[in-house]
């Protein structure tokens, strides 16, 4: 049985067909433009496939993932122009006539990593992505994290030493929240260049400081067994190591676990599935929804 | 069937015998002195009771709650003098010959509130206590939060505006972490008096600022369905309301949930069991351990 997966990002969408990392028969990637055009391209891709049992979507957010909500399946208050209150599930479900499973991009990636990657066998762990924005999700006690809505790691508040870094942050809601200070978008605006063109060590020491502060808060709040740290910004050579070192210093040995001291190299890790965690996790979302027999598609009239 | 419950706090211990809030036959409260004396008083209290099926302990921490760990049942790296690496479970279990269940004080309180209080029917929620220190726990997806060890909400990092508040914080590990800036201990040291003697509105506006920042981080990380906010500091009249108001302002409507705007009065709430949440939850820990049939006592030779 084959499933469709969509990693619905704010910059690009990745669609794939298959049932796991060893068996992906087709993929396509296209930029995120308007909702109609973007969703239309996904529909075209999946329409060409035959025998799909369902589609899973891991989406940028915030999203409404409360199954009982009338707006379940939508992207809600995103600042991304044109995308606020976009009902992704209904649009895909109507056009394809298939059940659609829906979660955050980071929860989908976490699921992929738990099935086939860096979180196999773990019950409580996080997946954090540092790209244009910062997002986080994961599993708590063996199930994907939802709660009230879903985690929004990027919008936690962290210390901001304005003497060291007078930049005011880029978050339209909170200014200098975690995402406001440490996202790829903030790096570009603070230094006037995209991350990949910045080679001054001070740039990356500051970035590691913010990442370490944010991840320290994740450790203190959720107590994950591991943190998987993905996203485009983390491709900067040396940044992962700098972040681990600073995190260990900031934790200062208070939480007595070898994972947070000598073992931190196995505690904060890159996604084992690389850039494919999200779309593979989305395929797994679809597979699980089909197994559950739960009517995940909501074909509103 | 009766169970013993211990709320093992850093300032005092509360012991009770019963099976729930409607049926508590005896209680005792005594100050936390040395481990030998304090555990001895709990042993004396439970020895006088007959027919106990087990004892549950909700302890100050950090603790080792990993059932597979050789130091399971211990208080670990606490800065509290004399208490680091105290094996509470073995001491109680040996002396009483009873199975002993063990978790954090805040997880015990969360369990009490989920059984009989402000979290009935919820699967993902937090219990935060603001007393001498700050602790947090709760449930994620219907089970008590553990993960790597257990949450340590008090040690997350929050913004510290040193122009407004030059106080450097009281945490011996992190200085101006959440607990370092907002605990009862920090209030006493910053202003030179205990919280109950401070009536200047500026004191409580600053306290509400820090509490709102910390709780905002809990919302962004864990996405709880509700936050129960207990502890001695929260008895200050008006502080809960100030905290809710500031939290709503800080969240700035980003997370589109009525619980975080007009409904915030039902979202951040006081413990329905008041000061009894911890000890009642500890009784429930013992009851569940007995039902599980799991050998929770570890009578090390």
């Amino acid at each position: 049985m084959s499933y469709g997966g969509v990693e619905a990002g704010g910059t690009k969408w990745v669609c794939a067909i298959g049932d796991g990392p060893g068996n992906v028969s087709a993929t396509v990637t296209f930029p995120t433009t308007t909702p109609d055009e973007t969703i239309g391209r996904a529909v075209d891709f999946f329409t060409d496939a035959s025998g799909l049992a369902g589609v899973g979507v891991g989406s940028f957010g915030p999203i409404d993932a409360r199954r009982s909500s009338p707006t379940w399946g939508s992207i809600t208050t995103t600042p991304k122009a044109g995308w606020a209150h976009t009902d992704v599930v209904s649009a895909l479900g109507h056009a394809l006539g298939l059940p659609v499973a829906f979660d955050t991009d980071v929860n989908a990636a976490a699921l992929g990593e738990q099935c086939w990657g860096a979180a196999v066998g773990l019950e409580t762990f996080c997946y954090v992505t540092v790209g244009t924005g910062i997002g986080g999700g994961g599993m708590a006690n063996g199930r994907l994290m939802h709660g009230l809505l879903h985690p929004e790691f990027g919008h936690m508040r962290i210390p901001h030493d304005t003497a060291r870094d007078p930049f005011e942050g880029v978050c339209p809601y909170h200014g200098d929240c975690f995402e406001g200070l440490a996202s790829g978008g903030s790096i570009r605006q603070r230094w006037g260049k995209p991350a990949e063109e910045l080679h001054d060590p001070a740039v990356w020491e500051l970035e590691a400081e913010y990442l370490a502060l944010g991840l320290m808060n994740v450790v203190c709040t959720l107590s994950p067994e591991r943190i998987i740290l993905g996203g485009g910004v983390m491709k900067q050579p040396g940044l992962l190591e700098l972040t681990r070192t600073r995190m260990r210093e900031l934790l200062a040995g208070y939480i007595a676990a070898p994972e947070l001291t000598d073992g931190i190299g196995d505690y904060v890790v890159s996604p084992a599935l690389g850039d494919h965690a999200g779309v593979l996790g989305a395929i797994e979302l679809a597979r699980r929804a089909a197994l559950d027999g739960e009517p995940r598609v909501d074909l509103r009239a």
Side-chain angles (χ1 to χ4, degrees), chain A residues 46-95:
Chain A
F46 292 121
T47 301
D48 291 344
S50 61
L52 286 188
V55 173
V57 179
S59 177
F60 73 100
I63 67 168
D64 186 347
R66 286 201 266 205
R67 197 59 192 80
S68 60
S69 162
T71 55
W72 171 79
S74 294
I75 294 169
T76 59
T77 51
T78 179
K80 186 168 174 67
W83 281 85
H85 309 291
T86 296
D87 187 344
V88 175
V89 166
S90 286
L92 281 172
H94 274 291

Side-chain angles (χ1 to χ4, degrees), chain A residues 123-248:
Chain A
E123 290 214 324
T124 298
F125 67 94
C126 294
Y127 184 99
V128 181
T129 179
V130 187
T132 311
I134 292 182
M139 284 191 176
N141 290 323
R143 284 164 51 199
L144 291 169
M145 294 179 69
H146 290 117
L148 179 67
L149 292 179
H150 55 75
E152 281 286 354
F153 290 8
H155 296 274
M156 75 171 87
R157 305 301 295 259
I158 57 171
H160 176 197
D161 178 350
T162 53
R164 177 177 179 186
D165 175 29
F167 181 65
E168 72 276 13
V170 296
C171 175
Y173 287 85
H174 313 117
D176 62 353
C177 61
F178 186 30
E179 175 171 301
L181 291 173
S183 61
S186 79
I187 295 172
R188 176 188 280 261
Q189 194 162 322
R190 180 189 290 108
W191 305 103
K193 289 183 201 173
E196 54 273 24
E197 293 174 24
L198 292 161
H199 307 295
D200 181 344
V203 169
W204 300 106
E205 280 160 25
L206 183 69
E207 179 66 10
E209 178 77 16
Y210 291 134
L211 294 177
L213 286 164
L215 297 186
M216 175 170 175
N217 286 358
V218 169
V219 169
C220 290
T221 313
L222 187 71
S223 189
E225 296 165 277
R226 184 168 290 154
I227 296 173
I228 304 170
L229 190 53
V233 171
M234 295 314 302
K235 296 188 178 175
Q236 173 68 25
L239 179 59
L240 177 61
E241 293 74 13
L242 277 176
T243 302
R244 288 176 180 147
T245 300
R246 191 65 187 121
M247 200 175 147
R248 180 178 177 169

Side-chain angles (χ1 to χ4, degrees), chain A residues 212 216 241-254 257-265 268:
Chain A
M216 175 170 175
E241 293 74 13
L242 277 176
T243 302
R244 288 176 180 147
T245 300
R246 191 65 187 121
M247 200 175 147
R248 180 178 177 169
E249 289 168 0
L250 285 170
L251 284 162
Y254 176 70
E259 289 86 346
L260 299 174
T261 54
D262 291 344
I264 201 154
V268 183

